[in-house]
Amino acid sequence: MEINFNVLSKSIPYSSPKVSPGGMKHNSAVSAVLTDDNSTMTSLEEDVGTEIIGLVKLDPALEPYLDHFKYRMKRYVDQKKLIEKYEGALEEFALGYLKFGFNREEGCIVYREWAPAAQEAQVIGDFNGWNGSNHSMEKDQFGVWSIRIPDVDSNPAIPHNSRVKFHFKHGNGDWIDRIPAWIKYATADATRFAAPYDGVYWDPPPSERYHFKYPRPPKPKAPRIYEAHVGMSSSEPRVNSYREFADDVLPRIKANNYNTVQLMAVMEHSYYGSFGYHVTNFFAVSSRSGNPEDLKYLIDKAHSLGLQVLVDVVHSHASNNVTDGLNGFDIGQSSQESYFHTGERGYHKLWDSRLFNYANWEVLRFLLSNLRWWLEEYKFDGFRFDGVTSMLYVHHGINIGFTGKYHEYFSEATDVDAVVYLMLANNLIHKIFPDATVIAEDVSGMPGLGRPVSEGGIGFDYRLAMAIPDKWIDYLKNKNDEEWSMKEVTSSLTNRRYTEKCIAYAESHDQSIVGDKTIAFLLMDKEMYSGMSCLTDASPAVERGIALHKMIHFFTMALGGEGYLNFMGNEFGHPDWIDFPREGNNWSYDKCRRQWNLADSEHLRYKFMNAFDRAMNSLDEKFSFLASGKQIVSSTDEDNKVVVFERGDLVFVFNFHPDKTHEGYKVGCDLPGKYRVALDSDAWDFGGHGRVGHDVDHFTSPEGIPGVLKTNFNGRPNSFKVLSPAHTCVAYYRVNESMSETEDDQTAISNEPLPTANIEESDEELKDSLHSNISNIGQTVVVSAKETDKDLKDSPSLRTSDVVHAERDDSDSDALDDDD
């Protein structure tokens, strides 16, 4: 289609940046949109190829949108060149926190603030009795206010941990106080209800600084993510601290064999109930749980346990709080003199929050520097970008039903300013820390989101597979067990873009919020409070609930993506929703905590779900199936409610039937040999009935003519038979005959943590395998009996899910109506 580039983004007059007298380079008038018609894309540096057609080569169906990709790549290259020309390099541009805010220089403290709309400005605080008459600031031609505050008796004039604010004169003559935009710590008086926040000058002496002791752990082959909220991680009804989380919760995460922690609500937010998504102070840690040194202790402790730590970063919008947040700098000026767009474009009507102007030079500096700050100051290992869908489109996804048709992604609705910012952000992150993990929360399924910038992609490592929890909720709320479609649920899990990695999850914090229900709650409801004792027989609801809880999470993990995520407490079926303190619950913390004792109690059935969660992660630690490109679904048996698939070296058999146990059930597989149980949800350790024999050898039989797929069983050249009990899932591994009997016996997964040895088939072997017929990048192959010769009903041909050459429904939601 022909794209009207004038509609994609308004051109903003360009003026050459100049160097300010203090050596700082600024230009609030420089836009992300370069309007010089003579600019070209002849040289695209080391990170961008000279022919931007990588995405189109991967997916020829994108050919009609080639002009769009060329346009946005030109915008990216031109913006990057501007930054390099006037700031030195993208990495230097992202060191804004060394120039703006409060910084120590020789014999003084220097404070700078970008506030072009202010008429006069002062710095006030405890250090001057909140009287700024002797601390007036000077404004340069770029709208940057600055002041040098000399030391007093060789000591900083502003004491460490003392309160400060930016005091400036409004255009109407009024003086107002705001928290400095680049402040690194902010606090509120805990003794006063709804007290406003104050900026805090944070510069502890060396003896009080936390010094990192442990290196970052190696990047895992596939992330197994534990999503956590520090504040609500205590078992007591109160706000937990960073140090308590580090000492009490991190060992639990490690014991359950996760390799990555994703921390929510780290960036300061004045409203606790926002779950951390309405950020007020972007460079400050949430003071409810401690100070900056406490957070560093947490991250260092995680690294000592071999855990990566990701942080939720919210650059999709900002709190509309004018007293405590960035919105307080917006006093009616033009968009080029503000962090936000003006008018309707600057306001998110569903989130009641402000929207950034990503075409503004100083906004780019602020946001890119924010990313570098969290990576370098706190040693985070990556990010989960929140609300990416809202950024990608000028309609923010509100009331939009994404169907997967490509015109929905590449049109006048695309916010190219935001796309360019995200490309710059991913480029920056991976240059500073090549092993960073960066995840996008996007419900639309935009093609290229998870491909490198050099191909014309946006550069994320993973996208959250947000359609999966929606499917499980739909089934649990609206279908009885007999109505579950094996093909439909399997399709939901495998429906992801070829070569773009996803993080699969059955439920996250979204499903835990008050008014919604977790999977465990949907399955067992009130019996979670009365029927979980091991001292009595389980009721049918509890029996079914625990069985399906294990199956749903394992099915999601094994088939849904290249990584896995679980929200804190859901691994053991935490019975309560999350309800932050608010007027409606009398400001109670009772439902804003995690009852760890439930999983620890030997007489409660919660321990079974927790043990199975640990075993699932152990299975991936041992076999690395999440990182494998081999994913083949050989059977979706609707009559018997059984799904059979291969992932990596394992064969998975899921029996979703509520009461049918299948004896001698025939399972197709790739390689011949002897198979044994690697993980069994029906094991006694996991609250099952122990019906599957773990000491049984399953020998394969050849099926049909080698290499002639239509003669094979379900498209697989070999098969073996298994016992498949109702509501049970079992993973099988192929026995390595060269291993000793003792070594092989240790391969089966119990509820004990396992060593980190990996057994994996090389990518080249997979690539060359006649029977796998699969790309080593990770394409799902589905074998279907419905598309074969009717005479070969039992020997179907192989059908590849062709996500490269067709527009598929990669979208994750009918509409975006929530920012978390």
Side-chain angles (χ1 to χ4, degrees), residues 691-709:
R691 291 168 287 187
V692 177
H694 292 192
D695 57 352
V696 176
D697 292 332
H698 302 271
F699 293 93
T700 61
S701 299
E703 295 289 344
I705 304 170
V708 184
L709 294 176

Side-chain angles (χ1 to χ4, degrees), residues 228-330:
H229 186 289
V230 172
M232 54 164 288
S233 65
S234 173
S235 59
E236 301 172 6
R238 60 176 176 84
V239 177
N240 209 18
S241 72
Y242 296 122
R243 289 182 178 266
E244 289 171 312
F245 181 92
D247 294 338
D248 301 335
V249 182
L250 283 179
R252 290 180 174 274
I253 298 170
K254 178 63 177 178
N256 270 38
N257 297 299
Y258 288 90
N259 57 30
T260 304
V261 182
Q262 178 185 304
L263 293 181
M264 306 171 61
V266 169
M267 301 164 78
E268 187 59 89
H269 49 291
S270 60
Y271 177 46
Y272 191 40
S274 74
F275 234 137
Y277 291 113
H278 282 236
V279 174
T280 44
N281 312 109
F282 285 77
F283 288 82
V285 306
S286 178
S287 58
R288 292 179 182 86
S289 295
N291 62 46
E293 312 313 306
D294 297 329
L295 177 60
K296 292 174 185 177
Y297 172 83
L298 185 163
I299 295 168
D300 203 29
K301 181 69 173 287
H303 287 168
S304 75
L305 296 172
L307 296 168
Q308 268 198 327
V309 189
L310 311 182
V311 62
D312 265 10
V313 65
V314 186
H315 285 181
S316 50
H317 64 130
S319 170
N320 68 1
N321 183 325
V322 296
T323 303
D324 303 323
L326 203 60
N327 194 30
F329 286 83
D330 191 337

Side-chain angles (χ1 to χ4, degrees), residues 758-776:
N758 292 314
I759 304 172
E760 58 182 1
E761 184 177 350
S762 74
D763 286 338
E764 287 304 314
E765 289 173 336
L766 279 175
K767 191 174 181 180
D768 297 336
S769 170
L770 176 64
H771 301 302
S772 64
N773 191 27
I774 188 169
S775 166
N776 64 335

